[in-house]
Amino acid sequence: MTDRQQIPSPAPSLPRVAGLVVVDKPLGWTSHDVVSRMRRLAGTRKVGHAGTLDPAASGVLVVGVEKATKLLTYVTGTDKTYRASIRLGAATVTDDAEGDVTSTAAPERLAALTDDAVLAAVAELTGEIQQVPSAVSAIKVDGQRSYARVRKGEDVELPARSVTVHEFTVHGISREPSDAEPTAVDVDATVTCSSGTYIRALARDLGEALGVGGHLTALRRTRVGSFTLEQSHTLDELTDQVRAGGTVSTLPIDDAARGLFPVRELTAREATDLSHGRRIAATQNRPGEASSGDGAASRSGAGVGDTTSASDAAASGSRESRAGLPMACFAPDGTLVALAEDRGPADRRYTTSVLGIAAGMTFTDAAASDDAGVEGPRAGDPGAETDGTTRTERTHD
């Protein structure tokens, strides 16, 4: 990492834009290293990331700046795509190339391993599977990270959990040093999976299924939700932007929300009520369909349809994955007011904020005085407080 004194910060007079930055994390950096660099480059301490990448992995790391950090929980939960290199023939204590080798397969066993056998084992690891996370993961065991316990010499056994591998496509299978007498079989693959899937565990399980052992040798994340490598910036590029007198390239929070969530366009009255923690009339669309229809143009000039198409192209099934997400609710002027959900029994449905973004604001339009049918807060209304803020706003601000 470069000395901190050499890292520029934006001029105090420049605005700090709340939004997401898609970073191409370099090898050797922790995700926290990237956040530390971004705090300097963005000129704010309010920076976080969505989905840890190990130092030995590179690729897409979505970073939130200012209020956009509130969106990171939802980004973390999206599907991800990786390009992975797996070596069959040896197992390691960390399930990757950095750990000590615990077992190796005999050359004759590897020589008998056919491509068809590898592809069949890959197929068994596709779909919804039960996966035991790597022992060197960041999962906490009795309040302590699993990897910290492993480093102390403890034997850690983590319970299996359900994950979904949407795609496990093999691009190439090669043998080293020769086909006749291999000491390793290398598999190059693309994996698209649900949040919480460990690619190194897939490599381990593939080797175990074939009876030869296996571990991950290289990993590059190419997509997180709708965010891809094509949208990413290297840290050097971001540094040059600030050094030239500008600010880091940021996807504004409004545009980010339009790409991540179903969209509901509000009237001025609805926007004001939701901003003050009051429930409003339920949406007419199902949550998964709220983005189709009127919420067409973001105020930066990009259409909602454009953003949604990019998301759909990045991963099959992304439209379905939106169905369980809250709605991004926008005021007539394009301000992201809140993330909200429809709640209540079928005959008394209402929309309430689950994550306030623009709290305590008043919005106006020509028809504001004619709006009606919006219900005020009730005692015990989830999401409403007596002072007009939402519980989520208090938690996150």
Side-chain angles (χ1 to χ4, degrees):
M1 292 177 61
T2 307
D3 185 84
R4 187 174 184 276
Q5 297 299 323
Q6 300 177 22
I7 306 303
S9 288
S13 58
L14 293 176
R16 273 43 176 174
V17 179
L20 301 180
V21 183
V22 185
V23 177
D24 184 355
K25 188 191 84 67
L27 292 170
W29 285 57
T30 67
S31 298
H32 182 70
D33 289 339
V34 174
V35 168
S36 296
R37 171 66 63 88
M38 286 301 302
R39 284 173 174 162
R40 181 81 174 176
L41 293 176
T44 175
R45 293 285 302 170
K46 199 166 185 179
V47 175
H49 69 79
T52 301
L53 265 182
D54 292 337
S58 65
V60 174
L61 185 70
V62 180
V63 175
V65 179
E66 296 289 357
K67 282 188 176 182
T69 55
K70 295 183 177 184
L71 306 183
L72 294 178
T73 296
Y74 300 99
V75 178
T76 301
T78 58
D79 292 346
K80 300 168 179 67
T81 299
Y82 300 87
R83 190 68 182 254
S85 295
I86 299 169
R87 172 153 289 192
L88 301 174
T92 71
V93 68
T94 57
D95 302 328
D96 65 12
E98 296 190 339
D100 294 334
V101 175
T102 57
S103 65
T104 57
E108 57 269 20
R109 185 69 180 269
L110 289 174
L113 183 61
T114 66
D115 289 3
D116 287 344
V118 173
L119 295 175
V122 165
E124 290 297 316
L125 290 171
T126 305
E128 187 172 334
I129 63 173
Q130 293 295 311
Q131 184 184 74
V132 177
S134 173
V136 292
S137 68
I139 295 173
K140 286 189 176 181
V141 179
D142 295 330
Q144 191 174 14
R145 301 290 186 187
S146 178
Y147 63 75
R149 291 183 174 275
V150 172
R151 288 172 181 169
K152 291 179 180 179
E154 298 181 25
D155 290 328
V156 177
E157 293 187 10
L158 298 172
R161 56 185 181 179
S162 179
V163 299
T164 301
V165 178
H166 302 289
E167 174 194 6
F168 195 163
T169 301
V170 175
H171 302 292
I173 302 174
S174 60
R175 290 160 175 80
E176 299 294 337
S178 68
D179 290 346
E181 296 182 355
T183 57
V185 176
D186 291 326
V187 179
D188 182 34
T190 293
V191 178
T192 296
C193 53
S194 62
S195 177
T197 305
Y198 285 86
I199 308 302
R200 68 173 72 189
L202 276 182
R204 175 202 65 205
D205 293 345
L206 180 62
E208 288 181 356
L210 294 167
V212 295
H215 63 277
L216 188 69
T217 55
L219 186 67
R220 183 159 174 77
R221 188 155 68 191
T222 60
R223 182 183 65 85
V224 175
S226 60
F227 305 104
T228 66
L229 271 177
E230 288 71 28
Q231 300 167 273
S232 69
H233 301 272
T234 67
L235 290 172
D236 286 342
E237 289 171 347
L238 296 170
T239 300
D240 289 342
Q241 290 173 2
V242 177
R243 186 169 284 130
T247 57
V248 294
S249 295
T250 304
L251 180 66
I253 187 171
D254 297 346
D255 293 342
R258 288 183 182 275
L260 285 167
F261 305 100
V263 172
R264 177 172 172 179
E265 301 290 351
L266 305 175
T267 66
R269 174 72 175 276
E270 289 173 332
T272 298
D273 283 345
L274 200 61
S275 179
H276 286 81
R278 295 189 284 270
R279 56 169 84 166
I280 61 176
T283 180
Q284 296 303 307
N285 293 331
R286 291 181 296 161
E289 297 174 349
S291 61
S292 58
D294 325 343
S298 73
R299 300 311 182 248
S300 68
V304 172
D306 297 334
T307 308
T308 303
S309 297
S311 177
D312 290 345
S316 61
S318 63
R319 187 182 303 276
E320 288 80 357
S321 68
R322 286 186 174 201
L325 293 173
M327 298 170 288
C329 297
F330 290 87
D333 66 356
T335 299
L336 175 61
V337 178
L339 302 185
E341 292 178 350
D342 285 342
R343 294 181 179 176
D347 59 339
R348 294 193 303 277
R349 297 286 283 173
Y350 60 89
T351 298
T352 188
S353 170
V354 295
L355 181 62
I357 304 296
M361 295 182 64
T362 299
F363 300 91
T364 59
D365 65 16
S369 61
D370 297 328
D371 291 338
V374 179
E375 186 179 3
R378 297 176 180 174
D381 175 15
E385 295 288 342
T386 56
D387 63 358
T389 63
T390 66
R391 290 192 180 97
T392 306
E393 288 157 7
R394 286 186 164 187
T395 301
H396 288 80
D397 285 345

